[in-house]
Amino acid sequence: MSFAAPSIGSSGGRSALKAFEFGRTYVVRPKGKHQATIVWLHGLGDNGSSWSQLLETLPLPNIKWICPTAPTRPISIFGGFPSTAWFDVGELSEDAPDDLEGLDASAAHVANLLSTEPADIKLGVGGFSMGAATALYSGTCFTVGKYGNDNPYPANLSAAVGLSGWLPCAKTLSNKLQAVGEATGRAQSFPVLLCHGKGDDVVSFKFGDKSSKCLSSTGFQDVTFKAYNGLGHYTIPEEMDEVCAWLRSKLGLEGTSA
């Protein structure tokens, strides 16, 4: 499916409309009573299939997993070579500009995937690397109540998980939260889990650490940050066990077996 997002422009000119073609979505059905639905976002160059296969093995029978595939787009960090990506990325540095248009389009895709879930189902978003960045961005859109382009954010999220990722738009988050009355309360109670390997040579550990500190300093009072010695840019069973335990606790899931 495609989602058209207006470009972000501060000038008075007309906003160009760009369509992002999202790839195939893979769904892992709950093996037990359905209590929560989580959209899980893959990393750069990957697709929804690989993560859906891993998530299916987790002892979380009450969760439905939705694993979309990002659009294929030219990527600046690859010199314009196309790859599946939730947004464009030039360099991983604190001063690199954020692709707000791409982030908003992907956050809207996540919200759209969650829009047909029953009202009594808790909703979450998570991801790995660039997918983690998009998940955290979605979490901040929920707390602020709107996307970066000021359109209202519709999904009622209950949790966000980011593995080996970073927080986009970190420098403007504090001002955005302070500008919206209800945002502070939403931030205080919104649970976030960040996990990062100290040996990560793709997304440096410092980005995960600083993202955690940024969320805490801007009023997110339920942030858990887990560091793993020797872990590179991948996941391990110990980390996924941590994710399972955290989700069970924060989403109030019934148990470990169907």
Side-chain angles (χ1 to χ4, degrees):
M1 70 179 289
S2 65
F3 175 81
S7 65
I8 314 302
S10 55
S11 66
R14 277 182 318 181
S15 289
L17 208 64
K18 189 192 239 178
F20 296 97
E21 290 289 339
F22 288 85
R24 183 174 168 191
T25 297
Y26 300 80
V27 177
V28 178
R29 304 276 170 198
K31 297 176 180 70
K33 179 186 175 186
H34 183 197
Q35 292 179 294
T37 296
I38 298 175
V39 174
W40 190 271
L41 306 170
H42 63 74
L44 178 62
D46 202 358
N47 60 65
S49 174
S50 55
W51 274 99
S52 71
Q53 292 170 48
L54 171 62
L55 295 169
E56 193 164 20
T57 68
L58 299 182
L60 292 170
N62 309 116
I63 294 181
K64 171 184 173 181
W65 299 96
I66 302 176
C67 304
T69 299
T72 298
R73 65 176 82 210
I75 300 300
S76 298
I77 203 170
F78 294 158
F81 191 82
S83 179
T84 53
W86 301 109
F87 51 92
D88 188 27
V89 60
E91 56 172 332
L92 285 180
S93 77
E94 287 166 60
D95 298 317
D98 290 296
D99 174 20
L100 263 180
E101 185 181 0
L103 283 162
D104 276 346
S106 290
H109 188 60
V110 169
N112 188 50
L113 289 169
L114 292 169
S115 64
T116 54
E117 292 301 297
D120 60 335
I121 298 300
K122 291 184 177 175
L123 308 178
V125 61
F128 175 79
S129 191
M130 174 183 266
T134 308
L136 295 174
Y137 181 74
S138 295
T140 61
C141 289
F142 162 69
T143 53
V144 174
K146 55 188 177 182
Y147 297 101
N149 61 15
D150 287 337
N151 289 338
Y153 184 81
N156 183 24
L157 298 180
S158 291
V161 178
L163 310 183
S164 310
W166 69 96
L167 175 66
C169 308
K171 289 179 177 172
T172 58
L173 181 57
S174 179
N175 287 340
K176 284 184 179 176
L177 287 167
Q178 289 169 14
V180 180
E182 320 87 72
T184 306
R186 282 195 293 262
Q188 285 174 350
S189 59
F190 185 68
V192 180
L193 173 65
L194 300 175
C195 301
H196 218 111
K198 289 190 172 180
D200 196 324
D201 57 352
V202 178
V203 179
S204 170
F205 174 80
K206 71 177 182 183
F207 288 116
D209 186 37
K210 287 188 174 181
S211 296
S212 168
K213 287 172 179 165
C214 174
L215 287 168
S216 297
S217 69
T218 51
F220 287 77
Q221 294 182 7
D222 192 357
V223 178
T224 303
F225 182 62
K226 296 287 183 180
Y228 297 86
N229 289 324
L231 178 64
H233 197 63
Y234 48 89
T235 187
I236 51 173
E238 180 191 352
E239 183 181 48
M240 296 314 295
D241 289 347
E242 198 86 58
V243 170
C244 289
W246 187 87
L247 286 171
R248 275 188 217 109
S249 169
K250 297 300 179 184
L251 297 179
L253 303 179
E254 284 184 354
T256 56
S257 58

